[in-house]
Amino acid sequence: MSQSPTGFSHEAHPTPVPASERAELLRDPGFGRVFTDHMVTIRYLEGRGWHDARVHPRVPLSIDPACAVLHYAQEIFEGLKAYRLEDGGTALFRAGENAARFRRSAERLAMAPLPEELFLQACRTLVAADRDWIPEAEGGALYLRPFAIASGTYLGVKPSDEYLFMVIASSVGAYFKGGERPVSLWVSDHFTRAAPGGTGAAKCGGNYAASLAAQAEAIAHGCDQVVFLDAAERRWVEELGGMNIFFVMVDGSLVTPPLGGTILPGVTRDSLIRLAHEMGIAVREEPYALDQWQADATSGRLAEAFACGTAAVVTAIGHVRGGGVDFAVGDGTTGPVASRLRRALVDIQRGRAPDPDGWIERLF
Ligand code: COI
């Protein structure tokens, strides 16, 4: 066991996965199935604050059955990636945005906020410990999953006075099995994801749990993903189960639903808006109705639509069904605007393009 200058104690895995086995796992990792050797934990206790920051072998947790998170879902998480750069280095992409969102999510879930610098140190420390797990292949990355749970032991409905923050890492390839093939969407007309005043803008497990019945419905109807409408009017397109959405008009301009409490403020969403501005592409953050979407796709006013997120990057939408609609978007391939934005984003993440806004933090 050693102590680092950042205050993290380090315990190296005594029996890490052998290099040949790791290489085999990294050949086609899929998403969220291949996990690395180590993890980070940091504890919080009211009155003492955040303490006991450690990177150590990845182990199962042992928690009391009355642990608060198991009952009232006081839990938040993040998703960000460490990328292999063109020159062999490794970098994080806009990790400060994830740290800030994690703090906002904590506030919404009445959890103790983790200082943003500690969040970043935790991510950097885990990437350094598990650097051999970053896939080399184009499209591959080390997906970091920071999360925090209420770890107090009680059954009263109240904010916990103990929390456990952890970071685990997963070597990943494409999020969707079909790779870059356009996905089909199922419009959920009776389930909604988030209501005004709810937790839609927070990255908490509960939002994703609430999306699963709708996602199962999408799969049952032969679609890849669910797309949610707003809870108040059941009219405005909001987001997918775990991704934001963009529409590309035939004049090349973009439309994306505005943030306003019910939509997750995606880091990829924000990055694409900025990249589009830099490319001279107009972006309107304004409500877009499902019936308008169908009318525009049918009349040809809409050229493309795509989903975006850290996991999915930029994924074209090819078909939309359910909720009284059934229509194709574009010609069934990834359109030129989605391709161009995806390439611009990935080129920055991989260190192949200039990074004027300082989005990349080189770790080593
Ligand atoms: C991400 O894109 O990182 C997400 O959080 C989506 C999903 C894997 C939960």
Side-chain angles (χ1 to χ4, degrees), residues 129-147:
D130 285 333
R131 61 174 77 189
D132 294 339
W133 286 90
I134 307 174
E136 300 280 348
E138 184 69 31
L142 189 66
Y143 183 82
L144 302 176
R145 173 50 63 86
F147 62 113

Side-chain angles (χ1 to χ4, degrees), residues 31 77 79 143 145 175 203 208 242 309-311:
F31 182 84
F77 69 95
Y143 183 82
R145 173 50 63 86
Y175 183 72
K203 206 159 173 68
Y208 295 79
T310 298

Side-chain angles (χ1 to χ4, degrees), residues 96-166:
E97 298 297 318
N98 296 92
R101 188 172 63 188
F102 196 67
R103 183 183 41 71
R104 293 195 302 271
S105 297
E107 283 161 6
R108 179 62 185 85
L109 274 282
M111 298 170 74
L114 181 75
E116 290 171 33
E117 188 50 34
L118 199 49
F119 177 102
L120 293 170
Q121 286 297 348
C123 293
R124 293 174 191 134
T125 302
L126 187 60
V127 176
D130 285 333
R131 61 174 77 189
D132 294 339
W133 286 90
I134 307 174
E136 300 280 348
E138 184 69 31
L142 189 66
Y143 183 82
L144 302 176
R145 173 50 63 86
F147 62 113
I149 60 169
S151 52
T153 302
Y154 57 83
L155 293 181
V157 182
K158 59 176 185 180
S160 182
D161 52 11
E162 281 180 46
Y163 295 94
L164 180 58
F165 168 76
M166 291 166 273

